[in-house]
Amino acid sequence: MTEILLIRHGETDWNVEKRLQGHTDIDLNREGVRQAAALGRALLNEPLDAIFSSDLKRAFGTAQGIAIPRGMNIQLDTGLRERCFGAFEGLNHPEISERFPDDYAAWKRRDIDARYPQGEFHAETLREFSNRAVDAITSLASAYRKVAIVTHGGVLDSVYRRAKNMGYEHPRDFDVLNASINRVTWDGTNFQILKWADVAHLSHAALDESDNLA
């Protein structure tokens, strides 16, 4: 049995602007850096066998907040990346709807096999992405008792749905929050959720501590 601390990256400017990031490599903003530091303080005394991260900067920067105070290495894995949205990346919902109305409609009806127009990167279908993300997590976690995995909102969504046996046609009715700690177990066959969307470490007092560090 492996316990996984599944962590979404901290805030970016594109999160604030509600722009799709996907494989586009956006860094943390100032608030995201503060969130990463708060995560590090919250998890400092928690035993971890390993820390894994997506190779995208917003995830790696968040993982550094956890790893550096502990003197641990971060192991990068491209399988933990967000879904690639092709030409949707960099755009917000109104812009996508205007430029790609048919593809946007497929996205909104949660078509699991829809592939959006190519942009800088080749878009993944939802089915391809989910299989890739869940396979990466189970492969990494299986060799350890307790790990932290810093990744992206779509990956958290995929794990939650797999744990709850929830199809993708079902609208998201659960939180996927920046810098949240989501505790799940993996027994080699199934995920079980222990605690989801924990952001107690992101209270104003906890975040303000990062401004007082020497």
Side-chain angles (χ1 to χ4, degrees), residues 113-192:
D113 291 312
R115 192 183 307 281
Y116 311 131
Q118 181 160 331
E120 181 180 356
F121 306 105
H122 183 67
E124 295 174 282
T125 69
L126 184 52
R127 189 189 306 273
E128 289 169 346
F129 160 69
S130 176
N131 289 338
R132 181 257 292 173
V134 170
D135 286 349
I137 288 174
T138 57
S139 176
L140 294 173
S142 294
Y144 300 93
R145 290 176 299 176
K146 190 170 186 177
V147 298
I149 296 180
V150 185
T151 183
H152 304 266
V155 178
L156 269 64
D157 180 278
S158 293
V159 170
Y160 187 97
R161 291 176 186 277
R162 187 68 63 94
K164 297 292 188 179
N165 197 27
M166 179 190 296
Y168 283 90
E169 70 281 357
H170 190 285
R172 184 188 292 175
D173 57 3
F174 51 92
D175 290 324
V176 175
L177 304 175
N178 284 116
S180 60
I181 302 171
N182 306 273
R183 296 177 184 268
V184 302
T185 59
W186 169 249
D187 65 4
T189 304
N190 299 304
F191 290 109
Q192 181 177 351

Side-chain angles (χ1 to χ4, degrees), residues 9 21-27 53-63 76-78 80-83 121 150-152:
H9 64 79
Q21 295 177 110
H23 282 197
T24 305
D25 205 5
I26 305 301
D27 214 340
S53 174
S54 156
D55 64 325
L56 297 178
K57 289 186 291 188
R58 57 193 184 271
F60 179 67
T62 305
L76 300 180
D77 194 294
T78 58
L80 299 173
R81 284 186 177 192
E82 181 60 278
R83 179 184 178 187
F121 306 105
V150 185
T151 183
H152 304 266

Side-chain angles (χ1 to χ4, degrees), residues 60-80:
F60 179 67
T62 305
Q64 284 182 305
I66 302 167
I68 290 174
R70 305 169 65 100
M72 291 182 68
N73 294 324
I74 301 168
Q75 301 180 56
L76 300 180
D77 194 294
T78 58
L80 299 173

Side-chain angles (χ1 to χ4, degrees), residues 87-107:
F88 286 10
E89 294 184 12
L91 305 178
N92 60 30
H93 280 252
E95 291 167 341
I96 298 168
S97 177
E98 180 180 354
R99 299 186 194 185
F100 308 104
D102 293 341
D103 297 294
Y104 183 75
W107 185 26

